Amino acid sequence: MAPILEVEGLQKRYASGHEALSGVDLTIEKGEILALLGPNGAGKTTLISIICGLVTPSGGQVRVDGHDIRHDYRKARALIGLVPQEIALEPFETVWNLVRFSRGLFGKPRDDAHLEAVLRSLSLWDKRDAKVHELSGGMKRRVLIAKALAHEPKILFLDEPTAGVDVELRRGMWEVVEGLRARGVTIILTTHYIEEAEEIADRVAVINRGQILLVEEKARLMARMGRKELRIELQ
Ligand code: ATP
């Protein structure tokens, strides 16, 4: 089976001259969960932003299900759901309207049954008529995921979905990811937390200073390195 995502020799030098990515290669198979683990400034958000077509690379290639993100942007982007790090949602809009608009942005025909299934899978169905400002922080993060899933993407990017949240909310998010895995969604999530990678990933990639240091099956990696050694890699 062809990989759902192929990244080859990706480079990014920002206008400031800073080299955020220096030759990143990554291949993701359908249905897997990859944790992209790296410290602050490692290049995680830059990598995701390029894959999603939001930032132009200085070199290299990205193919989503065979579609080149630069030359075939619409087709490639339609296969991607992106959950950004920052919560930026219209405060006075209802949950239902937000997911409906998100689907419409991709030119997909109305499909209320799909949107209902998405909201139910995230325990948001009862909140569909609530306005964003009435929701808790954890619920808002779920709304971001629902928006990202509204157009039925094949691959979902979660950029630090649990940064700065308490242990309970983090566990809640892990359950959400587990539920998405059960529905066959391919997921790439970035994180600073080794425990998070350990908990939910099939494979772990470690990125630092714009380079992928390793990509390995989680079980093999944990058997080989343990948390302490991994922490040293992340410094
Ligand atoms: P964090 O975990 O803190 O979000 P990250 O791994 O996502 O970090 P990036 O946000 O991709 O890292 O940043 C990688 C490097 O590129 C950092 O040194 C950052 O300061 C730099 N950088 C990011 N965006 C820009 C930009 N628009 N212009 C210049 N430099 C940038």
Side-chain angles (χ1 to χ4, degrees):
M1 205 165 33
I4 187 83
L5 177 69
E6 296 160 280
V7 173
E8 274 172 25
L10 211 57
Q11 296 178 333
K12 179 62 189 178
R13 182 182 290 276
Y14 282 109
S16 61
H18 182 83
E19 189 167 275
L21 297 180
S22 24
V24 167
D25 297 315
L26 195 60
T27 302
I28 308 289
E29 302 296 333
K30 284 194 179 97
E32 79 167 319
I33 299 186
L34 179 102
L36 185 60
L37 196 55
N40 281 322
K44 304 181 295 295
T45 301
T46 300
L47 176 57
I48 288 190
S49 302
I50 293 176
I51 293 173
C52 296
L54 302 173
V55 166
T56 311
S58 313
Q61 280 197 321
V62 174
R63 280 184 299 278
V64 188
D65 214 11
H67 302 289
D68 187 293
I69 190 71
R70 296 175 77 187
H71 303 127
D72 211 356
Y73 173 77
R74 274 173 171 272
K75 278 192 182 145
R77 183 64 183 87
L79 300 173
I80 293 174
L82 171 63
V83 182
Q85 219 174 98
E86 304 296 331
I87 297 178
L89 292 166
E90 294 276 342
F92 298 106
E93 207 47 87
T94 63
V95 170
W96 180 252
N97 277 343
L98 283 176
V99 290
R100 218 164 45 84
F101 293 155
S102 290
R103 184 174 172 86
L105 279 179
F106 287 88
K108 288 261 180 169
R110 191 168 168 167
D111 183 345
D112 290 355
H114 168 69
L115 297 182
E116 179 176 339
V118 166
L119 292 181
R120 284 192 186 281
S121 73
L122 293 162
S123 306
L124 281 174
W125 182 240
D126 292 345
K127 300 282 181 196
R128 63 190 177 281
D129 295 324
K131 292 191 172 134
V132 166
H133 72 91
E134 297 164 357
L135 303 176
S136 67
M139 288 285 181
K140 285 181 188 150
R141 282 185 189 260
R142 285 169 189 244
V143 173
L144 288 178
I145 297 178
K147 279 183 68 198
L149 291 172
H151 66 286
E152 298 168 71
K154 290 192 173 176
I155 181 164
L156 184 69
F157 287 90
L158 297 164
D159 197 1
E160 298 192 29
T162 64
V165 308
D166 63 32
V167 177
E168 203 178 317
L169 275 183
R170 190 169 300 160
R171 290 203 176 282
M173 187 55 70
W174 293 351
E175 277 168 26
V176 166
V177 171
E178 201 50 58
L180 295 174
R181 176 219 293 275
R183 291 170 48 212
V185 182
T186 306
I187 297 173
I188 297 184
L189 73 95
T190 69
T191 181
H192 289 203
Y193 307 114
I194 294 172
E195 295 74 13
E196 186 155 281
E198 224 177 325
E199 186 74 28
I200 54 184
D202 300 313
R203 277 197 307 156
V204 178
V206 175
I207 185 169
N208 205 351
R209 296 184 189 92
Q211 289 187 315
I212 301 265
L213 303 182
L214 62 88
V215 190
E216 204 166 328
E217 296 288 329
K218 176 186 67 185
R220 281 182 55 181
L221 177 65
M222 293 304 168
R224 188 167 70 77
M225 284 184 91
R227 286 186 188 175
K228 201 170 156 197
E229 285 175 72
L230 249 181
R231 274 213 174 85
I232 292 168
E233 287 276 340
L234 289 168
Q235 278 167 6

